[in-house]
Each structure stands twice: as C-alpha cells, then as structure tokens.
Amino acid sequence: MDIITSTTSQVNGITTTTPRKKDIDPKENLWSAILSEVQTQSSTKLPSNKSVLVLGDNASGKTTLIAKLQGVEDPKKGSGLEYAYIDVRDEYRDDLTRLGVWILDGDPGHINLLKYALNESNYAHTLVILTLSMTTPWSWVDQLQHWIKMLDDHIAGLKIEPEERHQCRQRLVAVWQSYCDTIDELDPGSPIKRTNRLSSVDDDLDALPLPEGVLTTNLGLDVVVVVTKTDYMTTLEKELDYRDEHFDFMQQWIRRFCLVYGSSLFYTSVKEDKNCDLLYKYLTHRIYGLPFRTPALIVEKDAVLIPAGWDNMKKINILYENMQSCKPDDYYNDIIAQPPSRKTVSNREIEVQTEEEQAFLNRQLQLLQQGQTPTRGESPMRSQNSAGKTSPRTPGSAGAQGSPKKVDGKLNPGTPSGEGVLANFFNSLLHKKSGSPAAASLAGTGVSPRATNGGDMVSASEKISMRTDAAMELDRLTRSVKKDLDFPAQTDC
C-alpha cells in the first residue's frame, strides 16, 4: 500500500495542500514515460521543407534515377533546372509528405541556376546527390572534382549565419561519431527509440574522435555519391578487358573520396533494379530520421552500399590485397584510361566533285580546235547503261543535255558500221551515169556508184536489198537516239 503525504504551499497568501505518493512504482513510471513520448510524437508531422539537389554530368542517369525513386516508368528529361518530388510515408506516424528534388543540367552554362535550388533559406534542409556513370569510369576524377568545386564555391558565396553553418557541420560529425551497426532491441522504426537515439547522440557528441581522413572537407551538407548503370560492368569486361582488380581500384579510390567529404556511396542499376529501393530508404533515413536497417554491402561489385559513418581506411585496405598490377597510390587515369575513340564506318557514297562549267567548255573547245574528238569521263550511270547502247555520244554545245553523235558526211561503204549501209542506200538512188553531174558530185566525196556487169545501173534485186537494210538501220538508229534522250540527266554528269 502506498503512503500518501501532502505538500503545503502558499501562493499570494493562499495556502494549498497537494497530496503526492511517497514511493512511485518504477514500472508505472516507465509506462508513463512511454505514453508521454507517444503523445509527443503523434503531434509531430514530417517536415515539408526538405529537398534533394542532384548534380552530375549529362548522360550520367540523373533523370532516370529520380524517376525510379518516384515510381515513374517513362521519365521525361528536361533542361536547365528541373523540379520533381518524391512521396514519403511514415508508417508509424501514418503521415505523408513530399520531398522536393532539384535536378541541375550538366551543361556548365546552367550553373547560375543553382541559386534557386540551394540558398540561405534551405541550406540546412538540403541533401546533395552526386551522380557518376559506370559507362565512363575514366572520367570520374574530372567529374567529381568539377562538381565538388562548383558546390564548394557556391556555398562559400551564400550569406549563412556562422552559427547555422557550424551546427550543420557538427551534425555531420555526429553522424560519423555515433554510427553503430548493432540492431536496437526495440523496433528501430519506433519513434520512441529513434528519439532516444538522437538525444543520446547529442549528449555524446565528443565521445569518439573522427577516423583518419574523414571529413577533412566539411561542406555542412549530407552528400551521397551514386554510381549509376553498374550493369555496364559486364560490357567493360568483354570489350575493354576489365578485371576485378580494375573495379577494386575504382572502388577504393571513390571510397577514399567519400571519406574526405563524409559522403555515403551507392552503386545502382535502374535496368536491373539494384539498390534503388535501398537508396530511397536511405534518403528518408538521412533526411527524416526514418529507419534504415541494411548494413554496408561490399560483396557484390555492382551493388556496393556504404552508409556514412561505416567506412574507414582499414576497411578500404582490404581491397589492396586483390590489386596485383596496380597500386592504390597510382594516378587514377593511368590505371583507368580512356579507350581510343572508335571511328565509325560510313556507308555514304563518295561525293563526286563536278567540274566548273567554263573550264569544261574551254577544254572541249581546245580539243575541237586540235581536230580531236572530245572524250568524256566515265560515270556510274553510263557504265551501267553502256551494254544497251550501240552508238556513242559526244557532248554538245547544250552542256548537260547532250545529243546523239552526228553522222559524218563523208561516208565510206567499206566501213563495218551501219553507216556504210546508209551510204550504199543513197548511192543506189543515184542511177545516173558516172559522167552525170550527180556522179561528178559523188566523186568529190569518195563514194563511187556501184555497177552491174560493167554497166552504170544497179539491179532491181540489189535495190530492194539496200532499201531493206537501210530501213532496218534507220529504225535501229531511231531507237538508239530515243533511248539516249530519255536519260540525259542521268548519263551526263
């Protein structure tokens, strides 16, 4: 039975008596504390002023990664400074909020937009994600140095109160000093346990010193380095002969970089859905204090997960054992060098350079003045159609149109071409005597009339044969000329 005592007090001349228990049951006191904490936490909602800033070069997978965290199947890439949000739910508080996400374009011309995503008002409530792509591991050094320097310069230009800046830096130090791998006896997601852990962190802020090389550059911002597209590792092995020691060298280098800035490290693959869900949970853990129960993962080379506070140089040294052909202190790009660029084979046809018109005409004029027959260069279309042509063509004064070859006025019946047939036909029409004026006119051309049995007339059968041959030859020449005129643009280059 509890002994009841009373306490007497006097306020403004009025005496009051308050009964109290002399001995309070410890169990009852514990439950009272639990109920008090539950009541306090139930009135607390998830803050709505938190945000994430995503930085990285173009094609590093920023938009695709955030779309995966949102649950969007078909991401749409914008330009400049993009804004999105991620729905965050606290199962214990039954509360829902939106986490704002800013995605800065990798083009250096858009750096001036950073002031809208990170400024004095949201500096203490922003987490930064630095993205790298496994498709270009030889550019990691340049990319990380570029974005960290840009971020450091931007923060230095912000007009932040010294006290606020100091608190943000001390918060990062506390993460490393208080990190613990042990699992809580109570549910780590419990608001009561979470609050007790956070309060104990503040009480023991200077309990442990920082490990060697940790937070030598403290930006006051939570930084998460995310390596995207780790499924490309198999391609690096097949095409560039990457081995395990190459990936170990890359991992130890980037882990040492993360130590300097107190960053976390995630290897992700949206294509194979590796570590994407864990990255979402870790972001809500670092921003809202929600539970994150997954320990560090370093066994699978394409799914590395290292939370802030876990890593140190001793753990990184384990990777050195598998590195035979390189040393940890070697320059990064001497080991992970950019491969030579591959020249793409073009299937385009060779471009034909046309000759200047006046130069072409002058050359043809010189040939004509010298008494030579102008020749033309071979073209693909002419070579294809040469089998179906029987009469050659020479360039005329019209240039590109061209014309069939003119029949020479001096015809020789003995020539093997069809022009001799025409000559014989016209000679047969001249049935006058050799002494006639017509015969005399033919003497000047070198054509002599044919005679039968020493006479000056041509027989009827020979006339019929000549006319038939002449008709056939004229018909063939007509078809040949028509064929040449049908394709003037294709054959004349």
Side-chain angles (χ1 to χ4, degrees):
M1 180 177 180
D2 296 335
I3 300 175
I4 306 298
T5 60
S6 61
T7 300
T8 304
S9 61
Q10 186 175 3
V11 180
N12 296 329
I14 300 177
T15 302
T16 59
T17 301
T18 303
R20 64 179 179 83
K21 292 184 179 180
K22 182 177 180 181
D23 297 323
I24 300 178
D25 190 354
K27 294 183 178 180
E28 184 177 353
N29 185 26
L30 175 62
W31 284 110
S32 298
I34 293 176
L35 292 176
S36 177
E37 291 291 345
V38 170
Q39 184 178 4
T40 302
Q41 293 295 330
S42 62
S43 62
T44 304
K45 298 295 183 181
L46 292 176
S48 58
N49 60 343
K50 303 294 183 179
S51 62
V52 172
L53 173 61
V54 185
L55 303 176
D57 283 18
N58 289 330
S60 62
K62 302 188 297 292
T63 303
T64 306
L65 177 65
I66 297 303
K68 180 66 176 179
L69 299 181
Q70 292 177 295
V72 177
E73 297 293 337
D74 186 18
K76 303 295 184 181
K77 186 182 185 305
S79 60
L81 183 64
E82 303 177 60
Y83 179 78
Y85 64 86
I86 301 175
D87 291 327
V88 178
R89 176 177 293 278
D90 186 355
E91 300 294 342
Y92 291 92
R93 295 173 179 167
D94 193 19
D95 189 18
L96 177 66
T97 189
R98 287 182 174 180
L99 173 63
V101 180
W102 297 94
I103 306 175
L104 183 64
D105 195 288
D107 189 348
H110 298 298
I111 291 181
N112 60 325
L113 300 176
L114 186 59
K115 59 185 177 182
Y116 299 104
L118 180 60
N119 46 52
E120 294 84 357
S121 61
N122 63 0
Y123 168 74
H125 308 287
T126 301
L127 181 144
V128 178
I129 293 179
L130 296 179
T131 58
L132 301 170
S133 176
M134 186 59 73
T135 58
T136 56
W138 44 84
S139 62
W140 285 5
V141 175
D142 294 336
Q143 292 182 21
L144 285 177
Q145 290 179 350
H146 165 73
W147 289 109
I148 280 292
K149 183 179 184 304
M150 183 273 299
L151 187 61
D152 192 8
D153 294 342
H154 178 75
I155 294 174
L158 296 179
K159 299 178 180 179
I160 304 174
E161 294 296 333
E163 180 63 24
E164 181 182 1
R165 192 186 299 268
H166 176 72
Q167 290 179 358
C168 292
R169 291 177 177 177
Q170 286 300 110
R171 182 183 59 190
L172 296 182
V173 173
V175 171
W176 285 82
Q177 290 178 332
S178 61
Y179 182 83
C180 182
D181 280 333
T182 58
I183 300 177
D184 297 333
E185 295 178 0
L186 294 179
D187 188 351
S190 171
I192 305 171
K193 192 65 178 178
R194 185 163 63 249
T195 303
N196 291 340
R197 288 194 62 186
L198 294 176
S199 61
S200 63
V201 167
D202 296 334
D203 296 338
D204 300 332
L205 190 61
D206 299 326
L208 297 174
L210 289 174
E212 176 188 359
V214 174
L215 277 175
T216 56
T217 303
N218 194 335
L219 301 177
L221 293 173
D222 279 328
V223 179
V224 180
V225 177
V226 179
V227 178
T228 63
K229 306 178 184 179
T230 57
D231 52 277
Y232 196 76
M233 285 183 171
T234 55
T235 304
L236 293 176
E237 292 175 338
K238 295 178 181 178
E239 296 185 359
L240 300 179
D241 196 25
Y242 273 45
R243 299 183 298 276
D244 287 342
E245 61 177 342
H246 291 90
F247 297 117
D248 290 341
F249 180 85
M250 293 158 52
Q251 184 187 142
Q252 64 87 25
W253 183 90
I254 200 169
R255 283 171 65 177
R256 291 196 301 179
F257 174 88
C258 290
L259 287 182
V260 174
Y261 295 93
S263 307
S264 310
L265 176 62
F266 276 77
Y267 277 29
T268 64
S269 173
V270 174
K271 183 178 180 180
E272 297 183 356
D273 195 16
K274 290 192 175 182
N275 279 354
C276 295
D277 292 339
L278 293 178
L279 176 60
Y280 168 81
K281 293 180 180 179
Y282 186 76
L283 293 178
T284 59
H285 167 70
R286 296 295 306 131
I287 296 174
Y288 300 104
L290 298 181
F292 184 75
R293 311 171 190 177
T294 305
L297 304 175
I298 56 174
V299 177
E300 297 183 16
K301 62 183 179 181
D302 58 346
V304 176
L305 187 164
I306 300 178
W310 179 85
D311 211 2
N312 54 50
M313 288 304 301
K314 291 183 179 179
K315 296 177 180 178
I316 296 176
N317 290 342
I318 299 176
L319 295 173
Y320 299 164
E321 300 176 358
N322 298 329
M323 297 164 53
Q324 304 296 331
S325 61
C326 57
K327 298 179 181 179
D329 296 331
D330 290 341
Y331 183 61
Y332 181 86
N333 287 113
D334 289 342
I335 307 302
I336 310 299
Q338 182 175 359
S341 59
R342 300 177 180 177
K343 297 181 179 180
T344 57
V345 180
S346 177
N347 293 327
R348 295 188 309 169
E349 296 181 358
I350 300 177
E351 184 177 359
V352 178
Q353 298 294 334
T354 59
E355 185 180 1
E356 200 274 328
E357 182 179 4
Q358 292 300 323
F360 169 76
L361 295 177
N362 290 333
R363 182 164 54 84
Q364 299 302 316
L365 178 59
Q366 293 176 2
L367 293 176
L368 291 174
Q369 290 175 349
Q370 295 173 3
Q372 300 179 7
T373 302
T375 58
R376 304 181 63 183
E378 190 67 23
S379 66
M381 282 301 299
R382 190 177 296 110
S383 61
Q384 293 176 6
N385 298 330
S386 60
K389 297 181 181 179
T390 56
S391 61
R393 299 193 306 141
T394 57
S397 59
Q401 293 295 331
S403 62
K405 183 177 180 179
K406 296 181 180 180
V407 179
D408 194 354
K410 299 179 180 181
L411 301 178
N412 187 356
T415 57
S417 64
E419 296 172 353
V421 179
L422 290 180
N424 293 335
F425 169 73
F426 287 114
N427 289 336
S428 67
L429 298 179
L430 302 176
H431 46 271
K432 294 184 179 182
K433 296 181 179 181
S434 60
S436 64
S441 63
L442 285 177
T445 61
V447 179
S448 58
R450 299 181 60 186
T452 305
N453 297 325
D456 58 353
M457 300 298 294
V458 182
S459 65
S461 61
E462 288 181 346
K463 289 182 180 181
I464 295 174
S465 176
M466 290 179 183
R467 290 171 182 173
T468 303
D469 294 342
M472 294 175 61
E473 184 62 18
L474 286 173
D475 182 65
R476 185 185 64 79
L477 289 177
T478 302
R479 290 196 303 269
S480 177
V481 171
K482 183 179 180 180
K483 186 175 183 180
D484 289 341
L485 292 177
D486 287 340
F487 304 96
Q490 297 181 6
T491 57
D492 293 338
C493 299

